[in-house]
């Protein structure tokens, strides 16, 4: 048992959202069906690099979460947390060889944009690699973007489907909660962890909104509860 280790969590419908460092929170969690996540790549994206990554919230300064990729030990803990893993930025981390990659083609070829034209999600089980061409700018996904590296909900839905529609999904690097919004749409249970209070709050609001929309035809919308933890 750790002494002085604290984190808090909120329960929003079938989603449990932890505010804390996933290195600590993961030790307290049971194993789940799948991890679907987008860790820091360690490329300075928290500063809002690139024309389309920039946000008005940049004025508040770089929160510094992307100065380094997670340690080997942390990535091992993430992999050990679930039966299957889909890890964005798999080309940045020291992961075992896999032929099962999800390649998100941003549909940006030859349009003079200043970000990578695709991203790679490493998958832990054996299957054929797949490609999704999806242009978030053409689809209007980045209107009201709230996190410098926010993923489109459609892309995260694709990842969950590829993982076989697992019942419970864990995202230890939750950011603005995109994986959870995708999980709500697909009727999955979700556990999310985020260390930055600013993004944790954004994730809670996005998730409540998604949950409310899902609950429109239910008699009562689920209420958020705030709880504390001390190990
Ligand atoms: C690449 S972003 C995820 C963005 C997310 N996919 C979205 O759509 O909003 C990674 C997030 O992980 C968080 N993070 C970094 N290290 C963490 C840690 N050890 N524990 C929990 N969260 C962490 C950062 O604050 C950042 O918001």
């Amino acid at each position: 048992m750790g002494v002085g280790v604290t984190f808090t969590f909120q329960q929003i419908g079938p989603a449990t959202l932890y505010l804390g460092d996933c290195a600590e929170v993961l030790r307290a969690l049971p194993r789940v069906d799948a991890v679907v996540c987008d860790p820091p790549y360690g490329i300075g994206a928290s500063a809002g690099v690139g024309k389309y990554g920039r946000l008005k919230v940049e004025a508040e300064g770089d929160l510094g979460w992307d100065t380094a990729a997670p340690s080997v030990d942390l990535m091992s803990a993430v992999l050990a947390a679930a039966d299957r893993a889909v890890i964005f930025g798999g080309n940045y981390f020291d992961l075992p060889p896999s032929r099962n990659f999800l390649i998100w083609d941003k549909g940006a070829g030859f349009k003079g944009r200043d970000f990578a034209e695709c991203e790679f999600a490493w998958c832990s089980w054996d299957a054929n690699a797949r490609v999704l061409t999806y242009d978030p700018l053409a689809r209007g996904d980045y209107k009201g973007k709230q996190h410098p590296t926010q993923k489109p909900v459609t892309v995260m839905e694709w990842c969950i489907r590829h993982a076989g529609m697992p019942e419970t999904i864990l995202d230890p690097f939750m950011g603005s909660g995109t994986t959870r919004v995708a999980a709500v749409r697909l009727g999955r249970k979700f556990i999310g962890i985020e260390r930055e209070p600013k993004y944790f709050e954004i994730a809670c609001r996005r998730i409540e909104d998604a949950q409310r929309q899902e609950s429109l035809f239910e008699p009562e919308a689920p209420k958020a509860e705030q709880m504390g933890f001390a190990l």
Side-chain angles (χ1 to χ4, degrees), residues 200-217:
F200 180 79
E201 284 308 316
I202 289 170
C204 289
R205 300 294 81 79
R206 277 186 88 197
I207 289 162
E208 281 172 349
D209 287 348
Q211 196 78 37
R212 206 171 292 121
Q213 284 177 19
E214 286 299 305
S215 307
L216 271 182
F217 300 105

Side-chain angles (χ1 to χ4, degrees), residues 72-92:
V72 171
D73 284 352
L74 181 52
M75 288 308 284
S76 299
V78 168
L79 293 186
D83 297 341
R84 286 189 162 187
V86 179
I87 307 213
F88 263 98
N91 46 322
Y92 288 95

